[in-house]
Amino acid sequence: MALFSETELRTLLTRPLTADECTLAHDLTADAFYGEVGERLTDPPQRGVKSVALAVAARILTNPAGVRSEQAGGMLISYADSETGVMLSEDERKRLRRAVGMAAGASSLDIAPEDYCPPVRVWRAQ
């Protein structure tokens, strides 16, 4: 499944990219998306998925280490997170979940099979 094209990523970043860089950014983005929303992504992706995917891919290529700030004198570098790898921001997570039809807030988990119909009893005072 194509979340975005190489041309779209190159246009967004306004710099030359190799095909390998585009492929890596796409694969890492797709992996992060599947980790967040699973098989809810459709082919072609739902409306709203591409803009989140391009933002994540651009960040992968422009700031792969997740640097939050740097200081030249004294060589101080702070990172956005103690974890490494591709991380979705809270805003990106919400936008992605909304695009695939998942609730962004609290929800309940129903593990019953789809064809299960619980018995219903109506209580009546006698």
Side-chain angles (χ1 to χ4, degrees), residues 1-4 33-34 37-54 95-102:
M1 166 194 325
L3 297 173
F4 54 83
F33 281 20
Y34 279 114
V37 298
E39 298 297 322
R40 290 177 178 89
L41 284 172
T42 60
D43 192 11
Q46 298 92 327
R47 291 173 52 114
V49 170
K50 183 186 287 191
S51 61
V52 179
L54 281 168
R95 290 171 50 207
L96 175 62
R97 293 174 65 87
R98 189 178 314 121
V100 299
M102 294 176 68

Side-chain angles (χ1 to χ4, degrees), residues 64-120:
V67 174
R68 181 176 290 174
S69 64
E70 291 181 287
Q71 180 180 348
M75 190 58 183
L76 173 68
I77 299 175
S78 65
Y79 295 91
D81 213 296
S82 61
E83 299 179 29
T84 58
V86 178
M87 303 293 294
L88 301 178
S89 70
E90 190 60 34
D91 179 59
E92 290 163 344
R93 187 174 287 112
K94 286 179 185 177
R95 290 171 50 207
L96 175 62
R97 293 174 65 87
R98 189 178 314 121
V100 299
M102 294 176 68
S107 64
S108 62
L109 177 64
D110 184 5
I111 60 171
E114 286 184 32
D115 59 345
Y116 174 72
C117 183
V120 177

